[in-house]
Amino acid sequence: MAGQEHEEAADPAAVKRHPALFRTIKQRKNPKLRRSDITVTDEQAVKRAVKAASLGNAMEWFDFGIYSYLAVTIGHVFFPSGNPTIELLSSFATFAVAFLVRPLGGMFFGPLGDRLGRKKILALTMMLMAVGTFAIGLIPSYGTIGLWAPALLILFRLVQGFSTGGEYGGASTFIAEYAPDKRRGYFGSFLEFGTLAGYVGAAGLVTALTAALGSDTMEAWGWRVPFLVGGPLGLVGLYLRLRLDETPAFQKLEAESAHASEAADTVEATTKDDLAKIFRQYWPSLILCIALVGAYNITDYMLLSYMPTYLSDQLGYSETHGLLILLGVMVALMLIINQVGKLSDHYGRKPLLMSGMLGFFFLSLPAFLLIKQGSIPAIVGGMLMLGLSLVCLLGTMSAALPALFPTHVRYGSLSVGYNLSASLFGGTTPLVITGLISLTGDDLMPAYYAMAAALVGVIAVACMKETAQKPLTGSPPSVETPEEAVELVQSQTPEPRF
């Protein structure tokens, strides 16, 4: 700013008399890049980082997926009342409970990730998530220990929710800071590939178990199996994360500031300061993040979590049929999600995000009218319409969101913004839709809810800046080859004039 003020305040005659002085001021304001400023990525390291972050994300959504796909069974086991709607609402309320503590997890883990490093915090969140999931599989039923059963279920859902608060912000930051600028969309899309893989794993396992064991055996003990599988999966994710190096962007930040080895009480104090700074200095980006994530999460949870329940509750489909159709749709999305990431690198984040939001706004009602027809081709067609809109958001969001914030507050800001929004809008989606249908008797409520969310999303995308192929704010440019780095430095050198 100083250089700008000097130039603006300076008399044109003075600029003419002292051109060298004003040129120096301008150069200090915008120093030229040196070769040492540019990060040249190691492709193997990028792939390892993407694998570890994506597996953690898959684990997170495997956990949430099995809970939502077993919502009806969990309602019977932990909240037996004789009223199916009350059991389902109680089950979804417990699903939503995990989201209430997600912002607290984000506020705790996010600033620590900016202070102590991405890698350590991501390993810790992975461990907590695995413990919470495994423990749910061990809880005795309501019939065995009474009210202690739902109380323990809520406790371990809180552990899951708290750990998840540090997961997405950290994982997307990790991949974004490792990836070269020109391919951030492509590598970022693997994070949401992990989301779909987690859901597919959960849906596939629940479907296979239900088909093999039958509803009675599933209710007796079969529902425990997917939760118990989550423990060993978490250990694999933890092993992969502990083998990683810290991100290049964080290493450079750490080299510039000597706060990595501060005492724990100082970290606690500065964490509060960091949170205050995020809310005070970065609130416009925070609001944008909350709006984008809110629109994305409502549509995501509506399709990937709530839809099997909608098909069984509203259309009388068997749970297995509903899951099988959704499974097919998700596998189709997995096949194209990385191509969407590539498209966002080529054409920009905004066109892809806008396509997804407008898709939900215009196609939600036709899609649900199709689904209500009840035939398998109609249901598949309706879900594909929603799925293709969702994949535009899935394949782009994990590259777009980290670019909203500078490096020194990226993990914290993204964790706070993402989890506040996920808490208010994402996890409550099944509960709100079930409640709205129950209140109004209109089974098109999911479509109206998705359209309202998409409208907010359209406004948010219109307000954001394009960040494709540009360095992350506060981070040096990141390229794939030394030749690219040299080219970037040379591009700043003016052509000689003769």
Side-chain angles (χ1 to χ4, degrees):
M1 286 296 287
Q4 212 171 11
E5 283 161 15
H6 276 290
E7 263 188 298
E8 284 168 7
D11 177 33
V15 176
K16 209 169 185 179
R17 281 198 307 275
H18 307 286
L21 173 64
F22 285 98
R23 199 159 50 244
T24 304
I25 291 169
K26 192 173 180 180
Q27 281 170 354
R28 279 187 182 173
K29 180 177 172 277
N30 296 309
K32 282 183 181 174
L33 276 174
R34 292 165 300 176
R35 168 64 189 82
S36 57
D37 293 330
I38 299 166
T39 302
V40 178
T41 59
D42 171 359
E43 191 165 351
Q44 290 309 311
V46 175
K47 285 178 179 174
R48 280 197 304 273
V50 168
K51 195 188 297 177
S54 302
L55 185 70
N57 212 43
M59 167 76 191
E60 177 193 338
W61 296 112
F62 176 82
D63 296 342
F64 277 89
I66 52 181
Y67 189 94
S68 52
Y69 298 143
L70 288 167
V72 176
T73 308
I74 286 169
H76 294 327
V77 173
F78 290 99
F79 308 99
S81 66
N83 184 327
T85 305
I86 289 173
E87 288 176 3
L88 188 61
L89 281 170
S90 302
S91 181
F92 277 142
T94 312
F95 180 77
V97 153
F99 285 81
L100 296 179
V101 291
R102 275 181 70 159
L104 299 178
M107 288 176 192
F108 177 78
F109 290 118
L112 281 181
D114 284 326
R115 296 209 152 268
L116 305 178
R118 286 56 166 130
K119 172 188 162 176
K120 291 175 188 170
I121 304 304
L122 278 172
L124 181 57
T125 59
M126 184 89 257
M127 196 165 62
L128 279 174
M129 175 59 91
V131 167
T133 305
F134 191 74
I136 288 175
L138 299 175
I139 303 171
S141 68
Y142 184 92
T144 310
I145 58 168
L147 287 170
W148 283 106
L152 285 170
L153 177 65
I154 288 167
L155 171 69
F156 292 121
R157 286 293 293 157
L158 290 173
V159 170
Q160 282 185 324
F162 191 72
S163 65
T164 306
E167 177 61 40
Y168 184 90
S172 56
T173 293
F174 205 79
I175 291 179
E177 291 182 350
Y178 252 108
D181 295 333
K182 289 184 179 178
R183 299 183 73 197
R184 197 178 304 120
Y186 171 68
F187 285 117
S189 68
F190 280 95
L191 192 65
E192 298 298 357
F193 181 90
T195 300
L196 290 169
Y199 270 127
V200 165
L205 188 54
V206 170
T207 305
L209 282 169
T210 307
L213 301 175
S215 296
D216 291 343
T217 313
M218 276 300 282
E219 201 168 306
W221 59 267
W223 66 270
R224 297 180 186 278
V225 175
F227 289 101
L228 296 175
V229 166
L233 271 181
L235 291 176
V236 174
L238 182 64
Y239 170 73
L240 285 175
R241 285 186 173 183
L242 287 172
R243 287 181 64 233
L244 291 171
D245 291 327
E246 194 48 84
T247 70
F250 185 79
Q251 284 178 12
K252 291 211 174 190
L253 184 70
E254 204 174 28
E256 289 164 12
S257 52
H259 58 235
S261 58
E262 288 174 348
D265 56 342
T266 316
V267 168
E268 194 179 336
T270 49
T271 296
K272 290 173 189 169
D273 295 342
D274 284 348
L275 282 173
K277 187 202 292 180
I278 287 166
F279 283 106
R280 193 172 57 245
Q281 293 180 18
Y282 300 100
W283 62 267
S285 297
L286 208 57
I287 289 172
L288 191 59
C289 178
I290 288 169
L292 285 168
V293 173
Y296 154 59
N297 265 356
I298 286 173
T299 51
D300 186 302
Y301 283 94
M302 187 263 293
L303 181 62
L304 301 186
S305 288
Y306 174 73
M307 194 55 83
T309 306
Y310 179 81
L311 292 174
S312 58
D313 265 26
Q314 302 302 318
L315 303 183
Y317 251 68
S318 76
E319 286 164 51
T320 312
H321 268 150
L323 276 178
L324 278 173
I325 293 169
L326 183 60
L327 203 55
V329 170
M330 287 194 290
V331 169
L333 299 189
M334 286 174 75
L335 294 173
I336 60 172
I337 191 166
N338 299 132
Q339 299 309 313
V340 172
K342 281 183 181 176
L343 286 173
S344 83
D345 283 329
H346 187 71
Y347 295 106
R349 316 290 181 231
K350 288 182 72 164
L352 269 294
L353 290 175
M354 191 61 88
S355 300
M357 298 298 183
L358 289 173
F360 272 111
F361 186 73
F362 289 111
L363 298 177
S364 288
L365 200 53
F368 270 91
L369 288 169
L370 253 183
I371 289 166
K372 273 184 70 178
Q373 298 296 312
S375 69
I376 289 179
I379 293 174
V380 170
M383 283 169 74
L384 276 175
M385 285 163 75
L386 297 171
L388 290 172
S389 302
L390 181 62
V391 82
C392 292
L393 308 182
L394 283 172
T396 312
M397 202 64 83
S398 43
L401 293 175
L404 293 174
F405 304 101
T407 305
H408 66 287
V409 293
R410 183 170 296 125
Y411 195 154
S413 303
L414 188 47
S415 294
V416 169
Y418 187 91
N419 289 297
L420 272 173
S421 192
S423 194
L424 290 169
F425 308 112
T428 57
T429 297
L431 183 65
V432 170
I433 293 175
T434 306
L436 283 172
I437 292 173
S438 183
L439 198 68
T440 62
D442 187 349
D443 53 13
L444 286 174
M445 272 298 156
Y448 301 138
Y449 197 50
M451 286 166 73
L455 190 58
V456 172
V458 166
I459 296 165
V461 174
C463 293
M464 70 181 274
K465 288 178 185 169
E466 183 54 75
T467 55
Q469 302 206 11
K470 295 175 184 173
L472 292 166
T473 312
S475 294
S478 180
V479 296
E480 288 186 272
T481 62
E483 291 75 24
E484 260 188 274
V486 171
E487 204 178 298
L488 196 58
V489 172
Q490 285 175 346
S491 70
Q492 296 183 115
T493 311
E495 291 289 322
R497 284 184 295 181
F498 297 103

